[in-house]
Amino acid sequence: MRRARTSAGPELERLVELLGKLPGLGPRSARRAALHLLKKRDALMRPLGEATLAAADKVKTCSVCGNLDVTDPCGICTDTVRDGAVLCVVAEIGDLWALERSGAFAGRYHVLGGLLNALDGIRPDDLRIGALVSRVQAGGVTEVVLALSATVEGQTTAHYIADLLADLDVTVTRLAQGVPVGGELDHLDDGTLLTALRSRRAM
Amino acid sequence: MRRARTSAGPELERLVELLGKLPGLGPRSARRAALHLLKKRDALMRPLGEATLAAADKVKTCSVCGNLDVTDPCGICTDTVRDGAVLCVVAEIGDLWALERSGAFAGRYHVLGGLLNALDGIRPDDLRIGALVSRVQAGGVTEVVLALSATVEGQTTAHYIADLLADLDVTVTRLAQGVPVGGELDHLDDGTLLTALRSRRAM
């Protein structure tokens, strides 16, 4: 296909081609990004190239929780201030980052690496579910918070894990469902409204 | 600001921060891009880092036309098959790439590096307009095609250049304006419709 062509030499064409493989960048925005980089070679382009290679070499997956960090175990798993008795189960590292940005959680994490999905052929063995059970069996964990999406896949995965943990001495909880903070009622879907109404609380 | 925080070590935070400076990527999509890269370290991440550094080192601006290439003069300026008597004036290198992809032009280019813009303080001396006049004065150019945007800035720049070239022995033309190919009439703005009607041609 000709769409990535720039008529500017193989180095630039290769850069545009690789930038276009990033999620969120198509051929057109990849060309724009490449031109932007070439205008800011010292301020942005060389630092980005070096940061990309440095992260590729140094960032590793935490063998305990599945988080990404330059150390293994990661900074969260080794942070003694955090509560090791509460494990928050998330599908992806991006979810862990979102929770960390919120500052709402001070326990430790367990990253599954995805969600059960029969259509895509993602089965329990493809996720870090066995490692989660082992962590709980090893003791010291009193609560597992299932912070999974309110989608079919998320809830299927949540129920699967809850069943596995049912016989162990641990409380399994999940995130509350309801009206998002700042959400306007007439923009919400019926399912959310129904859930929010059913779970209504005294003021 | 906390938006770029990933709680995944300085290497990854720096990568996310730099990715977020690319046009088209915000903090959220920069985090997604970084996670995507880390999942494809050998297939995408290291090649991208290396391609970024290679392009930063090797790609230079053509001293004749302002195009980007690994050689100076660039491949287009040194291509003897192309018609050196026709110069196509464009604002940015992205416009040159668009024309090259269309395959519609077989002459040479002159990249201005922007458009005149009183509000942004972009004056003739900030653009490669003097170099354009010198190229025409040096002889051998019979036509200058002004391929500039149909915006206020584009047309201001076009008229400014046309005035400068008026006394020289060269034909100055501009791109036709009208209904885009495949464009539906009821989605076009009034200005385009008016121009297309005024410039109507016999079938």
Side-chain angles (χ1 to χ4, degrees):
Chain A
M1 78 179 195
R2 299 186 58 192
R3 291 160 74 203
R5 273 201 65 219
T6 60
S7 51
E11 279 79 3
L12 194 42
E13 288 198 17
R14 178 147 175 76
L15 176 61
V16 170
E17 181 199 329
L18 291 169
L19 283 171
K21 292 183 178 172
L22 290 178
L25 288 187
R28 185 186 173 86
S29 45
R31 288 192 297 268
R32 257 200 329 142
L35 286 177
H36 184 77
L37 285 173
L38 285 162
K39 279 187 184 169
K40 305 197 167 192
R41 286 186 209 222
D42 289 323
L44 181 57
M45 192 172 193
R46 288 193 178 89
L48 177 62
E50 283 154 11
T52 304
L53 293 177
D57 282 340
K58 290 187 189 161
V59 174
K60 43 201 151 207
T61 301
C62 173
S63 56
V64 177
C65 75
N67 185 21
L68 289 167
D69 203 341
V70 290
T71 58
D72 178 17
C74 73
I76 293 178
C77 283
T78 53
D79 184 346
T80 52
V81 176
R82 301 185 74 112
D83 184 1
V86 187
L87 278 193
C88 184
V89 175
V90 293
E92 300 283 0
I93 289 160
D95 303 329
L96 185 161
W97 290 355
L99 282 162
E100 282 299 288
R101 283 195 304 280
S102 78
F105 183 68
R108 303 225 167 104
Y109 291 94
H110 193 86
V111 182
L112 295 177
L115 292 171
L116 295 178
N117 190 325
L119 280 179
D120 293 351
I122 298 179
R123 303 168 51 80
D125 288 350
D126 301 319
L127 306 177
R128 299 182 68 254
I129 291 179
L132 171 64
V133 176
S134 302
R135 278 180 87 178
V136 175
Q137 282 172 331
V141 177
T142 58
E143 181 181 353
V144 169
V145 185
L146 300 174
L148 303 174
S149 297
T151 58
V152 172
E153 290 78 17
Q155 296 312 300
T156 304
T157 311
H159 283 118
Y160 181 85
I161 292 175
D163 284 348
L164 279 184
L165 299 178
D167 297 336
L168 301 176
D169 184 22
V170 65
T171 308
V172 180
T173 57
R174 61 168 192 176
L175 296 185
Q177 294 188 337
V179 182
V181 176
E184 296 184 47
L185 282 202
D186 63 353
H187 288 104
L188 286 178
D189 62 295
D190 296 346
T192 301
L193 275 179
L194 191 68
T195 308
L197 195 61
R198 279 193 188 147
S199 315
R200 65 189 179 278
R201 303 175 59 170
M203 289 196 63
Chain B
M1 82 178 193
R2 300 184 60 195
R3 289 160 74 202
R5 273 200 67 218
T6 59
S7 52
E11 279 78 5
L12 194 42
E13 289 199 16
R14 180 148 175 75
L15 176 61
V16 170
E17 182 198 327
L18 291 169
L19 283 171
K21 291 183 178 172
L22 291 177
L25 288 187
R28 186 187 172 86
S29 44
R31 289 192 297 268
R32 254 196 335 140
L35 286 178
H36 184 77
L37 286 173
L38 284 162
K39 280 186 184 169
K40 304 195 167 193
R41 287 187 209 220
D42 289 323
L44 181 56
M45 190 172 195
R46 289 193 177 89
L48 176 61
E50 282 154 12
T52 305
L53 293 177
D57 282 340
K58 289 187 190 161
V59 175
K60 43 203 152 204
T61 300
C62 174
S63 56
V64 177
C65 75
N67 185 20
L68 289 169
D69 203 342
V70 289
T71 56
D72 180 16
C74 73
I76 293 178
C77 282
T78 52
D79 184 347
T80 52
V81 175
R82 301 184 74 112
D83 183 1
V86 186
L87 278 192
C88 183
V89 176
V90 292
E92 301 283 359
I93 289 160
D95 303 329
L96 185 160
W97 289 354
L99 282 162
E100 280 300 288
R101 282 196 305 280
S102 78
F105 183 69
R108 302 227 168 102
Y109 290 94
H110 193 86
V111 182
L112 295 177
L115 293 170
L116 295 177
N117 189 326
L119 280 179
D120 293 350
I122 298 178
R123 302 168 51 79
D125 288 350
D126 301 318
L127 306 177
R128 300 181 67 254
I129 291 179
L132 171 64
V133 176
S134 302
R135 278 180 86 177
V136 175
Q137 281 173 333
V141 177
T142 57
E143 180 181 354
V144 170
V145 184
L146 300 175
L148 303 175
S149 297
T151 58
V152 172
E153 290 79 17
Q155 296 312 300
T156 304
T157 310
H159 284 118
Y160 181 86
I161 293 175
D163 284 349
L164 279 185
L165 299 178
D167 297 336
L168 301 177
D169 185 22
V170 66
T171 306
V172 180
T173 57
R174 64 166 190 178
L175 296 185
Q177 293 187 338
V179 181
V181 176
E184 296 185 46
L185 283 202
D186 63 353
H187 288 104
L188 286 178
D189 61 295
D190 295 348
T192 301
L193 275 179
L194 191 68
T195 309
L197 195 60
R198 279 194 187 146
S199 314
R200 64 188 180 276
R201 302 174 61 171
M203 289 197 63

